[in-house]
Short mmCIF file of all heavy atoms in Angstrom, two decimals:
data_model
loop_
_atom_site.label_atom_id
_atom_site.label_comp_id
_atom_site.label_asym_id
_atom_site.label_seq_id
_atom_site.Cartn_x
_atom_site.Cartn_y
_atom_site.Cartn_z
N PHE A 10 -7.10 -0.54 19.27
CA PHE A 10 -7.05 0.65 18.41
C PHE A 10 -5.64 0.96 17.92
O PHE A 10 -5.42 1.20 16.72
CB PHE A 10 -7.62 1.84 19.19
CG PHE A 10 -7.53 3.15 18.47
CD1 PHE A 10 -8.35 3.43 17.39
CD2 PHE A 10 -6.61 4.11 18.88
CE1 PHE A 10 -8.26 4.65 16.72
CE2 PHE A 10 -6.52 5.33 18.22
CZ PHE A 10 -7.35 5.60 17.14
N PHE A 11 -4.67 0.97 18.82
CA PHE A 11 -3.34 1.46 18.45
C PHE A 11 -2.58 0.56 17.47
O PHE A 11 -1.84 1.08 16.62
CB PHE A 11 -2.51 1.73 19.71
CG PHE A 11 -2.93 2.99 20.41
CD1 PHE A 11 -3.59 2.93 21.63
CD2 PHE A 11 -2.70 4.24 19.84
CE1 PHE A 11 -4.00 4.10 22.27
CE2 PHE A 11 -3.11 5.40 20.47
CZ PHE A 11 -3.76 5.33 21.68
N PRO A 12 -2.71 -0.79 17.53
CA PRO A 12 -2.07 -1.58 16.47
C PRO A 12 -2.61 -1.24 15.08
O PRO A 12 -1.84 -1.18 14.10
CB PRO A 12 -2.40 -3.02 16.87
CG PRO A 12 -2.56 -2.97 18.33
CD PRO A 12 -3.22 -1.66 18.61
N SER A 13 -3.92 -1.01 14.97
CA SER A 13 -4.49 -0.63 13.69
C SER A 13 -3.97 0.73 13.24
O SER A 13 -3.63 0.93 12.06
CB SER A 13 -6.02 -0.60 13.78
OG SER A 13 -6.60 -0.31 12.52
N LEU A 14 -3.88 1.68 14.18
CA LEU A 14 -3.37 3.00 13.85
C LEU A 14 -1.90 2.93 13.45
O LEU A 14 -1.46 3.62 12.52
CB LEU A 14 -3.54 3.93 15.06
CG LEU A 14 -3.48 5.43 14.77
CD1 LEU A 14 -4.60 5.85 13.83
CD2 LEU A 14 -3.54 6.21 16.08
N ALA A 15 -1.14 2.06 14.12
CA ALA A 15 0.28 1.89 13.78
C ALA A 15 0.43 1.32 12.37
O ALA A 15 1.31 1.72 11.61
CB ALA A 15 0.96 0.99 14.80
N PHE A 16 -0.45 0.36 12.02
CA PHE A 16 -0.38 -0.20 10.66
C PHE A 16 -0.71 0.87 9.62
O PHE A 16 -0.06 0.93 8.57
CB PHE A 16 -1.35 -1.38 10.53
CG PHE A 16 -1.36 -1.98 9.16
CD1 PHE A 16 -0.33 -2.81 8.74
CD2 PHE A 16 -2.39 -1.70 8.26
CE1 PHE A 16 -0.32 -3.36 7.47
CE2 PHE A 16 -2.39 -2.25 6.99
CZ PHE A 16 -1.35 -3.08 6.59
N LEU A 17 -1.70 1.70 9.90
CA LEU A 17 -2.03 2.78 8.97
C LEU A 17 -0.87 3.75 8.83
O LEU A 17 -0.61 4.28 7.74
CB LEU A 17 -3.28 3.52 9.45
CG LEU A 17 -4.59 2.74 9.36
CD1 LEU A 17 -5.72 3.52 10.02
CD2 LEU A 17 -4.95 2.41 7.91
N GLY A 18 -0.15 3.99 9.93
CA GLY A 18 1.03 4.83 9.85
C GLY A 18 2.13 4.20 9.01
O GLY A 18 2.79 4.89 8.22
N PHE A 19 2.29 2.89 9.15
CA PHE A 19 3.28 2.17 8.33
C PHE A 19 2.92 2.27 6.85
O PHE A 19 3.77 2.55 6.00
CB PHE A 19 3.34 0.71 8.77
CG PHE A 19 4.01 -0.20 7.78
CD1 PHE A 19 5.39 -0.23 7.67
CD2 PHE A 19 3.25 -1.03 6.96
CE1 PHE A 19 6.00 -1.06 6.74
CE2 PHE A 19 3.85 -1.86 6.04
CZ PHE A 19 5.23 -1.88 5.92
N VAL A 20 1.65 2.06 6.53
CA VAL A 20 1.21 2.14 5.14
C VAL A 20 1.40 3.55 4.60
O VAL A 20 1.82 3.75 3.45
CB VAL A 20 -0.27 1.71 5.01
CG1 VAL A 20 -0.80 2.00 3.61
CG2 VAL A 20 -0.40 0.23 5.33
N GLY A 21 1.12 4.56 5.43
CA GLY A 21 1.28 5.94 4.99
C GLY A 21 2.71 6.27 4.61
O GLY A 21 2.94 7.10 3.71
N THR A 22 3.68 5.63 5.26
CA THR A 22 5.08 5.86 4.94
C THR A 22 5.40 5.45 3.50
O THR A 22 6.25 6.06 2.85
CB THR A 22 5.98 5.08 5.91
OG1 THR A 22 5.65 5.45 7.25
CG2 THR A 22 7.45 5.38 5.66
N TYR A 23 4.69 4.42 3.02
CA TYR A 23 4.98 3.89 1.68
C TYR A 23 3.82 4.12 0.71
O TYR A 23 3.79 3.50 -0.36
CB TYR A 23 5.28 2.39 1.77
CG TYR A 23 6.47 2.08 2.64
CD1 TYR A 23 6.31 1.69 3.97
CD2 TYR A 23 7.76 2.21 2.14
CE1 TYR A 23 7.40 1.42 4.77
CE2 TYR A 23 8.86 1.93 2.94
CZ TYR A 23 8.67 1.55 4.26
OH TYR A 23 9.77 1.29 5.05
N TRP A 24 2.87 4.99 1.06
CA TRP A 24 1.70 5.18 0.20
C TRP A 24 2.06 5.73 -1.17
O TRP A 24 1.35 5.52 -2.15
CB TRP A 24 0.70 6.10 0.89
CG TRP A 24 -0.64 6.12 0.20
CD1 TRP A 24 -1.14 7.09 -0.62
CD2 TRP A 24 -1.65 5.12 0.27
NE1 TRP A 24 -2.39 6.75 -1.05
CE2 TRP A 24 -2.73 5.53 -0.53
CE3 TRP A 24 -1.74 3.88 0.94
CZ2 TRP A 24 -3.88 4.79 -0.68
CZ3 TRP A 24 -2.90 3.14 0.79
CH2 TRP A 24 -3.94 3.59 0.00
N GLN A 25 3.19 6.45 -1.26
CA GLN A 25 3.64 6.99 -2.54
C GLN A 25 3.79 5.88 -3.58
O GLN A 25 3.63 6.11 -4.79
CB GLN A 25 4.98 7.71 -2.35
CG GLN A 25 5.54 8.35 -3.61
CD GLN A 25 4.76 9.57 -4.05
OE1 GLN A 25 4.49 10.44 -3.24
NE2 GLN A 25 4.41 9.65 -5.32
N LEU A 26 4.08 4.67 -3.12
CA LEU A 26 4.25 3.55 -4.05
C LEU A 26 2.98 3.27 -4.85
O LEU A 26 3.06 2.81 -5.99
CB LEU A 26 4.66 2.28 -3.28
CG LEU A 26 6.04 2.29 -2.62
CD1 LEU A 26 6.23 1.03 -1.80
CD2 LEU A 26 7.13 2.42 -3.68
N THR A 27 1.83 3.56 -4.27
CA THR A 27 0.58 3.30 -5.00
C THR A 27 0.41 4.22 -6.20
O THR A 27 -0.35 3.91 -7.11
CB THR A 27 -0.64 3.45 -4.05
OG1 THR A 27 -0.70 4.80 -3.56
CG2 THR A 27 -0.53 2.48 -2.87
N GLU A 28 1.10 5.38 -6.20
CA GLU A 28 1.04 6.29 -7.34
C GLU A 28 1.82 5.72 -8.52
O GLU A 28 1.48 5.98 -9.68
CB GLU A 28 1.62 7.66 -6.95
CG GLU A 28 0.92 8.33 -5.79
CD GLU A 28 -0.40 8.95 -6.21
OE1 GLU A 28 -0.49 9.48 -7.32
OE2 GLU A 28 -1.35 8.90 -5.40
N TRP A 29 2.86 4.96 -8.22
CA TRP A 29 3.72 4.41 -9.28
C TRP A 29 3.35 2.97 -9.61
O TRP A 29 3.40 2.55 -10.77
CB TRP A 29 5.18 4.46 -8.84
CG TRP A 29 5.65 5.82 -8.43
CD1 TRP A 29 5.24 7.03 -8.95
CD2 TRP A 29 6.59 6.14 -7.40
NE1 TRP A 29 5.88 8.06 -8.31
CE2 TRP A 29 6.72 7.56 -7.36
CE3 TRP A 29 7.36 5.38 -6.52
CZ2 TRP A 29 7.57 8.21 -6.47
CZ3 TRP A 29 8.21 6.02 -5.64
CH2 TRP A 29 8.30 7.42 -5.62
N TYR A 30 3.00 2.19 -8.58
CA TYR A 30 2.70 0.77 -8.75
C TYR A 30 1.33 0.46 -8.14
O TYR A 30 1.23 0.26 -6.93
CB TYR A 30 3.77 -0.10 -8.08
CG TYR A 30 5.18 0.26 -8.45
CD1 TYR A 30 6.00 0.94 -7.55
CD2 TYR A 30 5.70 -0.05 -9.70
CE1 TYR A 30 7.29 1.29 -7.87
CE2 TYR A 30 7.00 0.30 -10.04
CZ TYR A 30 7.79 0.96 -9.12
OH TYR A 30 9.07 1.30 -9.45
N PRO A 31 0.26 0.44 -8.92
CA PRO A 31 -1.08 0.17 -8.38
C PRO A 31 -1.17 -1.17 -7.65
O PRO A 31 -2.04 -1.34 -6.78
CB PRO A 31 -1.98 0.19 -9.62
CG PRO A 31 -1.23 1.03 -10.61
CD PRO A 31 0.22 0.76 -10.36
N THR A 32 -0.30 -2.11 -8.00
CA THR A 32 -0.34 -3.42 -7.32
C THR A 32 0.06 -3.32 -5.86
O THR A 32 -0.13 -4.28 -5.10
CB THR A 32 0.60 -4.41 -8.03
OG1 THR A 32 1.91 -3.83 -8.15
CG2 THR A 32 0.09 -4.74 -9.43
N ALA A 33 0.64 -2.18 -5.45
CA ALA A 33 1.01 -2.03 -4.04
C ALA A 33 -0.22 -2.03 -3.14
O ALA A 33 -0.14 -2.43 -1.98
CB ALA A 33 1.81 -0.74 -3.85
N LEU A 34 -1.37 -1.60 -3.66
CA LEU A 34 -2.59 -1.51 -2.85
C LEU A 34 -3.04 -2.89 -2.35
O LEU A 34 -3.25 -3.07 -1.14
CB LEU A 34 -3.69 -0.82 -3.64
CG LEU A 34 -4.85 -0.23 -2.85
CD1 LEU A 34 -4.37 0.78 -1.83
CD2 LEU A 34 -5.86 0.42 -3.79
N PRO A 35 -3.19 -3.90 -3.23
CA PRO A 35 -3.54 -5.22 -2.71
C PRO A 35 -2.45 -5.84 -1.83
O PRO A 35 -2.75 -6.63 -0.94
CB PRO A 35 -3.78 -6.05 -3.97
CG PRO A 35 -3.14 -5.31 -5.08
CD PRO A 35 -3.21 -3.86 -4.70
N ILE A 36 -1.21 -5.44 -2.05
CA ILE A 36 -0.13 -5.95 -1.19
C ILE A 36 -0.31 -5.41 0.22
O ILE A 36 -0.19 -6.14 1.21
CB ILE A 36 1.24 -5.56 -1.76
CG1 ILE A 36 1.51 -6.33 -3.06
CG2 ILE A 36 2.35 -5.85 -0.75
CD1 ILE A 36 2.78 -5.92 -3.76
N PHE A 37 -0.60 -4.11 0.34
CA PHE A 37 -0.86 -3.53 1.66
C PHE A 37 -2.06 -4.22 2.33
O PHE A 37 -2.04 -4.48 3.53
CB PHE A 37 -1.14 -2.03 1.54
CG PHE A 37 0.08 -1.21 1.22
CD1 PHE A 37 -0.01 -0.11 0.38
CD2 PHE A 37 1.32 -1.52 1.77
CE1 PHE A 37 1.11 0.66 0.09
CE2 PHE A 37 2.44 -0.76 1.49
CZ PHE A 37 2.33 0.33 0.64
N PHE A 38 -3.10 -4.49 1.53
CA PHE A 38 -4.28 -5.14 2.09
C PHE A 38 -3.94 -6.54 2.60
O PHE A 38 -4.41 -6.97 3.65
CB PHE A 38 -5.39 -5.22 1.04
CG PHE A 38 -6.68 -5.78 1.55
CD1 PHE A 38 -7.33 -5.20 2.63
CD2 PHE A 38 -7.26 -6.89 0.94
CE1 PHE A 38 -8.53 -5.72 3.10
CE2 PHE A 38 -8.45 -7.42 1.41
CZ PHE A 38 -9.08 -6.83 2.49
N GLY A 39 -3.09 -7.25 1.84
CA GLY A 39 -2.66 -8.57 2.30
C GLY A 39 -1.85 -8.50 3.58
O GLY A 39 -2.01 -9.34 4.47
N LEU A 40 -0.99 -7.49 3.68
CA LEU A 40 -0.19 -7.33 4.90
C LEU A 40 -1.07 -7.07 6.12
O LEU A 40 -0.69 -7.40 7.25
CB LEU A 40 0.80 -6.18 4.73
CG LEU A 40 1.97 -6.42 3.77
CD1 LEU A 40 2.79 -5.14 3.62
CD2 LEU A 40 2.86 -7.55 4.28
N ALA A 41 -2.25 -6.47 5.90
CA ALA A 41 -3.15 -6.18 7.02
C ALA A 41 -3.63 -7.46 7.71
O ALA A 41 -4.03 -7.42 8.88
CB ALA A 41 -4.35 -5.37 6.54
N PHE A 42 -3.60 -8.58 7.00
CA PHE A 42 -4.07 -9.83 7.58
C PHE A 42 -2.96 -10.61 8.29
O PHE A 42 -3.24 -11.63 8.92
CB PHE A 42 -4.68 -10.72 6.49
CG PHE A 42 -6.03 -10.27 6.04
CD1 PHE A 42 -6.17 -9.41 4.96
CD2 PHE A 42 -7.18 -10.69 6.71
CE1 PHE A 42 -7.42 -8.99 4.54
CE2 PHE A 42 -8.44 -10.26 6.30
CZ PHE A 42 -8.55 -9.41 5.22
N VAL A 43 -1.72 -10.14 8.19
CA VAL A 43 -0.60 -10.87 8.80
C VAL A 43 -0.78 -11.03 10.31
O VAL A 43 -0.62 -12.14 10.83
CB VAL A 43 0.73 -10.19 8.46
CG1 VAL A 43 1.88 -10.79 9.27
CG2 VAL A 43 1.03 -10.32 6.97
N PRO A 44 -1.11 -9.97 11.09
CA PRO A 44 -1.30 -10.18 12.53
C PRO A 44 -2.41 -11.18 12.85
O PRO A 44 -2.29 -11.98 13.78
CB PRO A 44 -1.66 -8.78 13.05
CG PRO A 44 -1.06 -7.85 12.05
CD PRO A 44 -1.23 -8.53 10.74
N LEU A 45 -3.50 -11.16 12.06
CA LEU A 45 -4.60 -12.09 12.29
C LEU A 45 -4.16 -13.52 12.01
O LEU A 45 -4.51 -14.46 12.75
CB LEU A 45 -5.79 -11.72 11.40
CG LEU A 45 -7.08 -12.52 11.62
CD1 LEU A 45 -7.60 -12.31 13.04
CD2 LEU A 45 -8.13 -12.10 10.60
N ILE A 46 -3.37 -13.71 10.97
CA ILE A 46 -2.85 -15.04 10.65
C ILE A 46 -1.91 -15.52 11.76
O ILE A 46 -1.97 -16.69 12.17
CB ILE A 46 -2.12 -15.01 9.30
CG1 ILE A 46 -3.13 -14.74 8.17
CG2 ILE A 46 -1.39 -16.33 9.04
CD1 ILE A 46 -2.49 -14.50 6.83
N ILE A 47 -1.07 -14.61 12.28
CA ILE A 47 -0.18 -14.99 13.38
C ILE A 47 -0.99 -15.38 14.60
O ILE A 47 -0.67 -16.37 15.29
CB ILE A 47 0.78 -13.83 13.70
CG1 ILE A 47 1.74 -13.61 12.53
CG2 ILE A 47 1.56 -14.11 14.98
CD1 ILE A 47 2.65 -12.41 12.70
N GLN A 48 -2.05 -14.61 14.89
CA GLN A 48 -2.93 -14.97 16.00
C GLN A 48 -3.48 -16.38 15.83
O GLN A 48 -3.50 -17.18 16.77
CB GLN A 48 -4.10 -13.99 16.08
CG GLN A 48 -3.88 -12.79 16.97
CD GLN A 48 -5.16 -12.00 17.15
OE1 GLN A 48 -5.69 -11.45 16.18
NE2 GLN A 48 -5.66 -11.95 18.36
N ALA A 49 -3.96 -16.67 14.62
CA ALA A 49 -4.55 -17.98 14.36
C ALA A 49 -3.53 -19.09 14.54
O ALA A 49 -3.82 -20.16 15.11
CB ALA A 49 -5.13 -18.01 12.94
N VAL A 50 -2.30 -18.87 14.07
CA VAL A 50 -1.25 -19.88 14.20
C VAL A 50 -0.93 -20.12 15.66
O VAL A 50 -0.78 -21.27 16.11
CB VAL A 50 -0.01 -19.44 13.42
CG1 VAL A 50 1.18 -20.35 13.74
CG2 VAL A 50 -0.28 -19.44 11.92
N VAL A 51 -0.82 -19.04 16.44
CA VAL A 51 -0.51 -19.17 17.86
C VAL A 51 -1.60 -19.96 18.58
O VAL A 51 -1.34 -20.83 19.40
CB VAL A 51 -0.32 -17.78 18.51
CG1 VAL A 51 -0.25 -17.89 20.03
CG2 VAL A 51 0.94 -17.12 17.97
N VAL A 52 -2.86 -19.65 18.25
CA VAL A 52 -3.99 -20.35 18.88
C VAL A 52 -3.98 -21.82 18.51
O VAL A 52 -4.21 -22.69 19.36
CB VAL A 52 -5.31 -19.67 18.49
CG1 VAL A 52 -6.50 -20.55 18.90
CG2 VAL A 52 -5.42 -18.32 19.16
N LEU A 53 -3.73 -22.13 17.26
CA LEU A 53 -3.70 -23.52 16.82
C LEU A 53 -2.57 -24.29 17.50
O LEU A 53 -2.74 -25.45 17.90
CB LEU A 53 -3.55 -23.59 15.31
CG LEU A 53 -4.77 -23.15 14.50
CD1 LEU A 53 -4.46 -23.14 13.01
CD2 LEU A 53 -5.97 -24.07 14.78
N ILE A 54 -1.42 -23.62 17.65
CA ILE A 54 -0.31 -24.29 18.34
C ILE A 54 -0.67 -24.53 19.80
O ILE A 54 -0.42 -25.61 20.35
CB ILE A 54 0.97 -23.43 18.23
CG1 ILE A 54 1.47 -23.41 16.79
CG2 ILE A 54 2.06 -23.97 19.15
CD1 ILE A 54 2.65 -22.48 16.56
N ALA A 55 -1.29 -23.53 20.44
CA ALA A 55 -1.70 -23.70 21.84
C ALA A 55 -2.75 -24.79 21.98
O ALA A 55 -2.73 -25.59 22.93
CB ALA A 55 -2.24 -22.38 22.38
#
Side-chain angles (χ1 to χ4, degrees):
F10 175 73
F11 285 109
S13 183
L14 199 62
F16 178 77
L17 291 173
F19 164 77
V20 171
T22 305
Y23 300 98
W24 192 257
Q25 181 71 49
L26 293 175
T27 62
E28 302 283 324
W29 305 327
Y30 310 105
T32 53
L34 199 58
I36 292 175
F37 288 143
F38 185 57
L40 289 175
F42 285 92
V43 170
L45 186 61
I46 293 172
I47 293 175
Q48 269 189 296
V50 170
V51 170
V52 168
L53 289 175
I54 291 175

